[in-house]
Amino acid sequence: MTANSDMTEDGLPARECLAVAAATPVTADFAPDHALLAQHCAMLLGSGCDGIALFGTTGEGPEFTAADRKAGLEAVLGSGIAPGKLVVSATALSIGETVDVARHAVDARVDSILLMPPCMFRSNITAEGTYQFYATVIDRIARDDLRLCLYHFPDICGVPLTPPIVRRLDEAFPGIITGVKDSGGDFGFTESMIRSCGHLRIYTGSEIHIPQALAAGAYGTICGLGNIMPRLLRTMFDAPTAFDRRLLVPLITSGDLILSRQSFGASIKSVLAQVSGEASWARMLPPQEELHHPERGWMVADFERWERSLPPSLRSFYVDDALAVQDNVLPLRRAL
């Protein structure tokens, strides 16, 4: 599988970036499992991904302490992964923890910091409050080498990052704001962000929007499905035209439908537990709950059947042709 030819050896590419919002394996004490996390990051980069976002929403980041996230980043860097390939989410409920995580990541020379406003006061968060939050964090980090990627995810934080807010922050802190991750799921919004803030890196968080987003001028994606279908997404990025990329959207959608019957993050982790042989991968941080049988068994078996239906070059895990699931497992189920 071919990575972006514009990619530097130790950093993200100049354009068309495939970055994965990494899931985080956790120990029985609910801390990041450093060994499994480093292995997972190495697998993703080895499968053609350009970069990795640590401790975002797919990675359950806001539920970890600042100390846990800093130790996790150090473990990943200690495994030999270049800091320039990493984006670190500093989203937290307290400004102090956000600043702590961000400063540590800046000191480690990661590519950028991903940040969404805290979500505790959803009904009271205004556009002005959102601006003041980012401005306060930037002032308290107090680093000229800070590179901040704003995170638009209104379903979680309760307020959108509109183009006027982004432009205001960009004008107030030139060189600090480097991008926007759009996980709102509305391509019209993504397109308006590209038109209004096209000099910034605009990432789509929706895999099915990748072809049209790249055609419109987006920088790339930071997405959750990359955890379990990195080679399929790499092939989409490497396709020669937008038309060829769109041909792969139905394959991605059919795989996503299997994972989306239950909690997306728990489904991702259940697949990783199955393919790695590490049962602890399925563990979630409370209040999120891991999948239970029989639904978990059905979902994992259906995912295997889905991946084995792909051409071998598009498969990330089941590269042989033997079907390992039992004959009595029900065939591919549709989401109700």
Side-chain angles (χ1 to χ4, degrees):
M1 208 59 61
T2 305
N4 193 321
S5 60
D6 289 338
M7 181 174 60
T8 63
E9 182 178 353
D10 296 326
L12 299 184
R15 59 185 179 86
E16 299 187 357
C17 175
L18 169 56
V20 178
T24 309
V26 297
T27 66
D29 295 328
F30 299 122
D33 185 317
H34 296 164
L36 284 183
L37 180 58
Q39 290 172 17
H40 185 53
C41 291
M43 182 277 290
L44 295 174
L45 294 175
S47 297
C49 299
D50 298 318
I52 295 165
L54 294 173
F55 305 120
T57 50
T58 301
E60 303 169 87
E63 295 187 69
F64 291 110
T65 66
D68 281 341
R69 282 192 265 182
K70 291 191 292 184
L73 172 59
E74 289 173 4
V76 170
L77 295 173
S79 72
I81 292 175
K85 294 184 181 294
L86 300 176
V87 175
V88 173
S89 172
T91 302
L93 294 183
S94 76
I95 289 177
E97 277 205 318
T98 295
V99 170
D100 188 15
V101 172
R103 280 181 176 165
H104 176 265
V106 171
D107 285 341
R109 304 185 68 80
V110 302
D111 175 83
S112 53
I113 308 301
L114 183 64
L115 183 60
M116 161 171 66
C119 59
M120 287 297 292
F121 306 104
R122 293 171 57 90
S123 62
N124 293 321
I125 299 177
T126 64
E128 179 62 26
T130 300
Y131 172 83
Q132 292 298 336
F133 166 75
Y134 282 110
T136 299
V137 168
I138 293 169
D139 286 339
R140 294 195 179 187
I141 292 173
R143 292 284 298 266
D144 291 338
D145 53 349
L146 170 64
R147 299 295 176 262
L148 192 63
C149 182
L150 310 177
Y151 194 176
H152 169 76
F153 204 165
D155 284 353
I156 289 183
C157 76
V159 64
L161 269 175
T162 61
I165 295 175
V166 175
R167 287 197 301 270
R168 185 180 173 192
L169 286 166
D170 187 31
E171 292 169 1
F173 303 99
I176 298 292
I177 309 301
T178 57
V180 179
K181 182 192 176 193
D182 174 17
S183 292
D186 176 2
F187 181 70
F189 183 90
T190 309
E191 202 169 28
S192 70
M193 193 66 73
I194 294 169
R195 287 197 304 267
S196 300
C197 309
H199 62 293
L200 302 177
R201 297 176 176 179
I202 308 300
Y203 297 90
T204 178
S206 301
E207 295 85 355
I208 61 173
H209 293 162
I210 289 172
Q212 59 207 103
L214 292 178
Y219 175 65
T221 186
I222 299 176
C223 64
L225 284 177
N227 283 283
I228 44 82
M229 53 180 79
R231 292 187 182 277
L232 176 55
L233 290 171
R234 180 73 262 165
T235 301
M236 173 181 275
F237 269 78
D238 290 343
T241 69
F243 175 81
D244 294 306
R245 287 169 173 161
R246 286 196 296 270
L247 292 176
L248 296 174
V249 169
L251 297 181
I252 293 171
T253 300
S254 60
D256 188 26
L257 284 173
I258 296 170
L259 298 160
S260 298
R261 297 179 200 148
Q262 309 289 332
S263 164
F264 178 78
S267 294
I268 290 287
K269 283 190 161 186
S270 293
V271 169
L272 291 172
Q274 174 71 15
V275 299
S276 69
E278 296 284 352
S280 63
W281 248 118
R283 186 179 292 120
M284 300 289 291
L285 285 171
Q288 298 192 87
E289 186 179 10
E290 68 182 75
L291 299 189
H292 300 291
H293 292 292
E295 288 81 5
R296 176 179 165 186
W298 292 336
M299 187 278 297
V300 169
D302 288 349
F303 178 85
E304 179 175 351
R305 290 181 186 276
W306 168 80
E307 183 167 276
R308 289 186 184 279
S309 74
L310 302 176
S313 63
L314 303 184
R315 302 177 197 169
S316 297
F317 304 116
Y318 300 104
V319 295
D320 61 296
D321 290 327
L323 188 60
V325 296
Q326 299 297 316
D327 292 337
N328 62 353
V329 172
L330 294 178
L332 185 66
R333 297 165 179 269
R334 292 185 180 274
L336 298 178

